[in-house]
Amino acid sequence: LVYLRVSFNTCFNVTASSVTLDCDGRTVEYANFSSGYGVNITGVNSTVIRNCFFLKQNASVQYASAIYQTLGNNSIFLNNTVNSTGNYSFGIDLRRSNFTNITNNRINVSSNFSYAVGLGSAGLNNITGNNISTQGGRNDYGVNLTGSILNLVLNNNITTSGKGNSNSAYGIFLTLSANNNTIANNTVNTTGSGDANYGIYLFDTVSGNVVSVNTVTTNGTNSNYGIYLITSANNNSVANNTIRTSGSDNDNIGIYL
C-alpha cells in the first residue's frame, strides 16, 4: 500500500467550497485510535473526492466514516474504495446534504450496526453504479435512507450478510419519511446464518417511492423477504422486480405488504 495520510482519528477536514481531493489510488487510513473520518466535509459545497482507498483497520473503534458530509451540496464521490471494520462503521455518510453524486465506488463494511451508504434528511442525491458489501454482524445495511427524499438508487450491486440469531441484514432500507425515492435496476443479495434477511425494506411512514426492475435474492434460516413494506408504507409503486427467496425454515416471502 502507498499511503497518502494516516491518522489517529480524522485525516482530512474540508473547510472551503470547490475542493478536489484526488488520491490517485493511495491509501487514507483513519480512526486508528478514536472515532473519526477519512474526510470530513461540513458546511461547504462542490467537494470532489476521487480515486482514494479508505482503510479503517482498528475494529475496537466505533462510529467512524470514510466520507462524512453534513450541510454540503453538489459534491461528487467517485471511484473510491472503502474497507472498514468495527461496530458502527459507515462507508459514505450524508446528513442534510443535497445534489451529491456517489458513483462507481467499492464499499465494504463489517461488524454490527453498520452501513455502506447512509443518507439522513438528504435529498436529490444519486447513488449509482456502486459495489456495496456489508457483512459479519447484525443490523447491517447496504443503503440506508432515513428521512430522505427524491433520491435515486440505481444500478448498484449490493450484498449484505449477517450472522447469528436476529441478524437483521438489509440490502436497501427506507424509513421515517423517506419519500419519493427511486430504487431501480439494482442487484441485491441478502443472506445470513440467522433470520431476518431483507432485500428492500420500506418502514414507518414512507410513501411515493418507486421500486422497479431490481433483482433481489434473500436466503437464511427464516423470515427472509425480497421486498417488505410495513407500518404506513403507503402509495409506493413496486413493479417488474425479479425476486428469489429461500431459507432453511419458514416465512420466506417474495413481497410482503
Side-chain angles (χ1 to χ4, degrees), residues 118-187:
L119 274 59
S121 301
L124 296 161
N125 302 288
N126 291 335
I127 304 170
T128 307
N130 302 283
N131 285 310
I132 290 170
S133 173
T134 66
Q135 58 184 322
R138 60 189 179 92
N139 286 18
D140 291 329
Y141 306 83
V143 175
N144 184 327
L145 306 183
T146 300
S148 297
I149 64 171
L150 295 168
N151 299 287
L152 176 64
V153 182
L154 176 68
N155 290 332
N156 300 284
N157 190 345
I158 301 169
T159 300
T160 64
S161 178
K163 66 179 180 180
N165 293 329
S166 299
N167 56 270
S168 299
Y170 305 88
I172 302 173
F173 184 85
L174 289 77
T175 190
L176 296 175
S177 300
N179 301 327
N180 302 309
N181 300 284
T182 298
I183 313 297
N185 291 298
N186 301 284
T187 299

Side-chain angles (χ1 to χ4, degrees), residues 64-83:
S65 304
I67 300 174
Y68 176 82
Q69 176 176 280
T70 184
L71 297 172
N73 302 316
N74 298 303
S75 294
I76 298 173
F77 307 141
L78 173 67
N79 196 36
N80 301 289
T81 298
V82 178
N83 285 337

Side-chain angles (χ1 to χ4, degrees), residues 18-78:
S18 302
V19 169
T20 295
L21 173 62
D22 187 340
C23 299
D24 194 24
R26 288 174 287 182
T27 298
V28 176
E29 186 171 349
Y30 63 100
N32 267 331
F33 183 75
S34 61
S35 298
Y37 311 110
V39 180
N40 176 22
I41 305 161
T42 300
V44 296
N45 301 318
S46 303
T47 302
V48 178
I49 309 296
R50 65 190 182 203
N51 303 321
C52 297
F53 186 98
F54 291 100
L55 180 63
K56 176 184 173 291
Q57 298 190 91
N58 189 346
S60 67
V61 174
Q62 303 184 94
Y63 297 102
S65 304
I67 300 174
Y68 176 82
Q69 176 176 280
T70 184
L71 297 172
N73 302 316
N74 298 303
S75 294
I76 298 173
F77 307 141
L78 173 67

